[in-house]
Amino acid sequence: GENVEQHPSTLSVQEGDSAVIKCTYSDSASNYFPWYKQELGKRPQLIIDIRSNVGEKKDQRIAVTLNKTAKHFSLHITETQPEDSAVYFCAARESSASKIIFGSGTRLSIRP
Amino acid sequence: DADVTQTPRNRITKTGKRIMLECSQTKGHDRMYWYRQDPGLGLRLIYYSFDVKDINKGEISDGYSVSRQAQAKFSLSLESAIPNQTALYFCATSDPGGSYNEQFFGPGTRLTVL
């Protein structure tokens, strides 16, 4: 089955700087890669996703990139703000069973 | 607004007790999931169901069972709770339309097994 690894586990950046979170996956047939944000005490919510036929996708200050050859994908947050502080999860859709496998999460802290 | 709800929100129980966590949704989605969240381990899939007659094991199903009572209801049971089942449990739903399925999570149930 699919295995998703996520790094780093914790990340602290100065407000206004950029943050990058990286993930790798094992199933070369996986075709959908969502990112979820979980604020403290809240439920995870989808913030952006990318499909395997696209290399990059942007939505305002966040972007995702996908390298299918290397089987890795990344989340980029530019001009970070205090409200970006949260736990971020990458995930991959397992091709064989249509279920989502999550990474272990990255706790992002924005320093004022 | 259509939503996913979980009961109870918090529960403390003792080792060996049977406990049931319940999930209901008004989104009209066919697919439902149970995850557990542990610090540093992310969200791990326990069981999932693609329709009322379909039940599938996830990554960590040992010690758990589920029941899909209706399209809108999916319950998770711990037959004999043990301390390492202390975790935050999330129910989620998704719409099978198309090839991609955004997960909509409930608010979570914090379970403590003493």
Side-chain angles (χ1 to χ4, degrees):
Chain A
E2 177 67 274
N3 182 50
V4 178
E5 296 192 354
Q6 182 172 348
H7 301 279
S9 58
T10 61
L11 179 61
S12 178
V13 301
Q14 194 77 32
E15 183 178 349
D17 287 350
S18 296
V20 180
I21 302 170
K22 299 181 179 182
C23 292
T24 61
Y25 61 98
S26 61
D27 182 1
S28 57
S30 289
N31 59 3
Y32 173 64
F33 306 91
W35 287 86
Y36 286 78
K37 176 182 180 182
Q38 185 182 25
E39 297 178 356
L40 187 63
K42 301 288 183 64
R43 68 189 80 183
Q45 291 188 301
L46 180 73
I47 55 170
I48 195 168
D49 55 21
I50 190 167
R51 301 176 184 181
S52 58
N53 59 348
V54 175
E56 183 175 1
K57 182 177 178 180
K58 287 185 177 181
D59 183 3
Q60 300 183 342
R61 295 186 298 105
I62 61 174
V64 290
T65 58
L66 172 65
N67 182 326
K68 289 176 59 180
T69 303
K71 290 189 286 187
H72 66 70
F73 56 114
S74 301
L75 176 72
H76 304 252
I77 306 174
T78 58
E79 301 174 9
T80 52
Q81 301 172 3
E83 56 264 36
D84 296 328
S85 292
V87 177
Y88 292 81
F89 294 100
C90 63
R93 178 182 174 274
E94 192 176 85
S95 61
S96 61
S98 298
K99 61 183 188 282
I100 301 291
I101 302 299
F102 287 85
S104 55
T106 296
R107 182 174 299 279
L108 174 63
S109 300
I110 308 301
R111 302 191 304 272
Chain B
D1 284 340
D3 201 7
V4 183
T5 57
Q6 293 182 232
T7 55
R9 295 293 312 279
N10 288 282
R11 180 71 182 267
I12 300 174
T13 192
K14 294 182 178 180
T15 297
K17 294 291 188 181
R18 184 179 188 275
I19 184 168
M20 179 181 288
L21 309 183
E22 299 189 355
C23 176
S24 295
Q25 53 112 349
T26 56
K27 288 191 167 293
H29 291 168
D30 286 328
R31 298 181 176 183
M32 298 188 73
Y33 310 80
W34 276 103
Y35 293 91
R36 69 177 274 177
Q37 182 176 13
D38 300 275
L41 295 177
L43 293 157
R44 293 183 292 167
L45 183 62
I46 306 172
Y47 271 95
Y48 61 103
S49 169
F50 285 174
D51 64 44
V52 175
K53 296 180 181 180
D54 177 73
I55 300 290
N56 303 281
K57 291 183 177 180
E59 305 167 81
I60 53 163
S61 59
D62 287 349
Y64 301 94
S65 62
V66 291
S67 173
R68 185 78 184 267
Q69 301 95 322
Q71 188 214 30
K73 295 185 182 295
F74 192 36
S75 300
L76 176 72
S77 293
L78 287 67
E79 297 300 326
S80 180
I82 56 177
N84 76 0
Q85 291 177 314
T86 293
L88 182 58
Y89 290 85
F90 284 102
C91 174
T93 72
S94 70
D95 183 346
S99 300
Y100 310 99
N101 49 341
E102 176 181 355
Q103 310 269 293
F104 293 88
F105 287 86
T109 295
R110 186 166 296 281
L111 176 66
T112 302
V113 183
L114 301 176

